Amino acid sequence: ICFHIIPTKMVLLSLFGRRAIAPTSRQITPIGTKLSDSTIITTSSSALRHFSTPPKKCVVINAVGADRPGIVADVTRIVTERGGNVGESHSRLLGGHFSLMMLVDVASSEMDGLHEQLSTGVEGLSTSCFEAIDPKKVEISPRIGFAGKFKLSGADNPGIVHKLTSVLSRNSLTIGHMKTSNEEAPFGGTELFAMEGRAVAYEPLASNFDWKKIRGELQEMGESMNCDIEFQDDTGSPN
């Protein structure tokens, strides 16, 4: 084989066929680039690969059982095995029992399997699952027109939680968060009840809304049950 260098191009001469091969430069042109007035590089739709994700559902998992190490690990293992993803969650230890609420997104085809596996696959845990609204599709929450913190402490009385929350409900207040507990009094061994939380009212507020009037109702109720009740304006504070 021999090569002859020509100023404009290189010619390869084959000893077998004595045939000149003059390679031309090739340029890769992006799809959609116009080469001339009548030529455009295109691609066939059949050559494209389409990727799609399976439809997903949002599921709320409620679980409660005797406290022990590894409950959350067991629940999330099952969620992961079913291809799910954990979003918002809350957990609490209540009198020796562990309570868990978890928002999970999972493929629609895995919902039944997830429920079944959670029901049988976690020792000592009672679970329930139900489909929830996708948080990404929920309309933005209305603005909070008023927020108030409440705190109660005193002698335990049957129905005390119902009575306090009924006052709030009658005045168009909804519970944002709340916790209750029992504790022994410093003297005498009497059991005391404690309750605190935050209640909110959304805009537009009723024309006759008066948080100080609500505070008066709560204090009057507290006096009738030998309890101290505080109610303060907390509007504008973080949740």
Side-chain angles (χ1 to χ4, degrees):
I1 301 174
C2 60
F3 297 92
H4 298 277
I5 306 301
I6 301 175
T8 58
K9 57 187 174 180
M10 180 177 72
V11 178
L12 174 63
L13 298 178
S14 169
L15 293 176
F16 298 101
R18 294 292 177 181
R19 187 172 52 182
I21 303 174
T24 58
S25 61
R26 299 179 65 188
Q27 181 178 2
I28 298 175
T29 306
I31 293 173
T33 302
K34 187 173 182 181
L35 300 180
S36 66
D37 290 341
S38 60
T39 306
I40 296 179
I41 300 297
T42 61
T43 183
S44 170
S45 59
S46 61
L48 295 177
R49 295 182 64 187
H50 297 279
F51 296 91
S52 61
T53 56
K56 293 198 170 185
K57 297 285 187 180
C58 285
V59 179
V60 171
I61 299 173
N62 278 317
V64 63
D67 188 37
R68 63 170 176 81
I71 291 179
V72 177
D74 287 345
V75 172
T76 52
R77 170 182 56 80
I78 292 173
V79 171
T80 302
E81 289 175 353
R82 289 291 173 176
N85 185 54
V86 177
E88 187 177 354
S89 66
H90 298 279
S91 61
R92 190 79 180 176
L93 189 61
L94 301 170
H97 285 74
F98 183 78
S99 174
L100 172 68
M101 179 178 284
M102 184 178 289
L103 184 64
V104 170
D105 60 86
V106 66
S108 302
S109 58
E110 295 287 346
M111 282 186 61
D112 292 340
L114 175 66
H115 190 187
E116 181 180 353
Q117 195 170 349
L118 284 171
S119 300
T120 59
V122 184
E123 181 184 355
L125 200 66
S126 175
T127 62
S128 63
C129 301
F130 63 89
E131 186 176 342
I133 300 173
D134 186 344
K136 298 175 184 177
K137 298 179 181 178
V138 176
E139 295 183 4
I140 298 175
S141 300
R143 289 173 56 88
I144 294 176
F146 171 83
K149 279 187 174 180
F150 58 88
K151 186 175 182 179
L152 177 151
S153 61
D156 195 8
N157 290 272
I160 190 170
V161 175
H162 168 68
K163 290 176 182 177
L164 187 147
T165 54
S166 293
V167 172
L168 299 177
S169 177
R170 282 199 306 270
N171 288 278
S172 301
L173 287 164
T174 184
I175 304 294
H177 59 79
M178 181 183 77
K179 68 176 182 178
T180 62
S181 61
N182 292 89
E183 56 188 32
E184 194 172 303
F187 306 101
T190 305
E191 190 174 64
L192 298 178
F193 182 78
M195 176 180 180
E196 60 181 290
R198 189 171 191 258
V200 299
Y202 297 109
E203 293 184 345
L205 297 176
S207 58
N208 62 345
F209 182 86
D210 184 352
W211 75 269
K212 293 182 179 179
K213 176 177 173 291
I214 301 171
R215 180 176 63 184
E217 288 185 50
L218 292 172
Q219 290 174 340
E220 184 178 344
M221 185 197 79
E223 291 174 0
S224 68
M225 296 189 298
N226 195 25
C227 295
D228 294 324
I229 300 179
E230 300 175 11
F231 187 65
Q232 300 176 342
D233 186 354
D234 193 49
T235 308
S237 299
N239 294 345

